Amino acid sequence: MAWSIADVARMSGVTSRTLRHYDEIGLLPPAWIGSNGHRYYEEAGLLRLQQILLMRELGLGLREIRAVLDSQVDQVAVLRDHHRRLLAERNRLETLARTVGRTIAELEERKDSSDMVKINRPENLFEGFELSAEDEAEVRERWPEHWEQSRQAAADLATSPEETERWQREVTAQMIRMAEFMVAGTPVDDAAVQAEVDAHYQGVCRFWTPNAAAYKGLGQHYVDEPRFRANYDKIADGLAEYQRDAMAVYADARLS
């Protein structure tokens, strides 16, 4: 029996874009590609995907995962080696749970009658968040020049706690303003919304400079990637899609 890429995406929760990327880097090739260009997977592919997802949860990067799957390494030994990572991840999730709980309490206490969102300490929104090993590996493999530019910018930012806090406040304030526009029903092509998107784009350019297609792809990544989506949607449900749509308008108008 074989399953289409859409079937596998639905069953596993992995996006079709990610599955295509796994094929492109030789991590998870399909059993065959049909005359319609669609990828099809058999049981062996599903089992391999299960192993990939398990090792992703353990914090392995894509290159490490491929090395394990393509070798005869004892997977039990790999599990033992990364047991420490699970314990560290448990601690990080506990921090995230406190972060989200604090945000919920803050929003409930500070939300005024006009439904405008206010946050006392916006930097608290991001406590416990970090780029996953898979995300970093994918970025490094697909966009090495942008990865190096971003890595250097992040390193420079990390040398100044004051600058880091200021940047966190700016990012959070932008997200909140976008949420306020969304709640008010403001179209994404409104000039005020696009001004906020321009500020977002300029912030992104501190780390790398996307063209129109890349900036649209970044907006879609906010929707597809659970970590990013949760970060937006804990401010307001649907904010990830609203941000993506506003970024697409900006890319077509300003970057094409």
Side-chain angles (χ1 to χ4, degrees), residues 17 21 66 84 92-93 116 156 159 174 182 185 218 233:
R17 180 185 65 84
H21 175 60
R66 182 175 177 182
R84 294 189 308 275
R92 189 180 73 86
L93 289 175
M116 302 296 273
D156 293 341
T159 62
Q174 287 174 5
M182 184 188 70
L218 178 62
D233 285 356

Side-chain angles (χ1 to χ4, degrees), residues 146-239:
H146 292 321
W147 178 85
E148 179 59 31
Q149 179 184 353
S150 176
R151 186 194 65 79
Q152 185 58 53
D156 293 341
L157 190 65
T159 62
S160 172
E162 296 81 7
E163 179 66 12
T164 299
E165 181 174 342
R166 186 182 69 81
W167 173 75
Q168 288 176 333
R169 287 182 178 275
E170 289 176 356
V171 170
T172 307
Q174 287 174 5
M175 293 171 68
I176 291 172
R177 288 193 295 269
M178 290 293 283
E180 291 170 349
F181 283 129
M182 184 188 70
V183 170
T186 308
V188 293
D189 59 356
D190 183 88
V193 175
Q194 288 300 299
E196 287 297 335
V197 178
D198 181 63
H200 175 271
Y201 179 76
Q202 299 306 322
V204 171
C205 287
R206 294 181 61 181
F207 298 91
W208 63 294
T209 306
N211 58 20
Y215 194 53
K216 285 183 178 180
L218 178 62
Q220 187 63 47
H221 193 64
Y222 291 160
V223 174
D224 291 341
E225 170 53 48
R227 294 179 183 87
F228 281 99
R229 186 185 185 99
N231 203 21
Y232 275 92
D233 285 356
K234 76 172 183 286
I235 300 294
D237 289 339
L239 182 57

Side-chain angles (χ1 to χ4, degrees), residues 22 25 27 52 55-69 82 85 132-138 141:
Y22 288 171
I25 64 175
L27 181 60
I52 292 169
M55 285 185 278
R56 277 178 49 187
E57 290 296 324
L58 294 173
L60 275 71
L62 297 182
R63 291 181 180 177
E64 294 175 282
I65 292 173
R66 182 175 177 182
V68 171
L69 293 178
H82 293 281
R85 298 191 188 189
S132 71
E134 180 210 1
D135 290 335
E136 184 169 357
E138 180 175 347
E141 290 170 2

Side-chain angles (χ1 to χ4, degrees), residues 38-55:
H38 294 174
R39 293 166 170 81
Y40 292 89
Y41 299 81
E42 295 181 340
E43 183 177 286
L46 298 187
L47 292 173
R48 186 176 175 94
L49 178 58
Q50 182 189 59
Q51 292 177 310
I52 292 169
L53 297 181
L54 172 62
M55 285 185 278

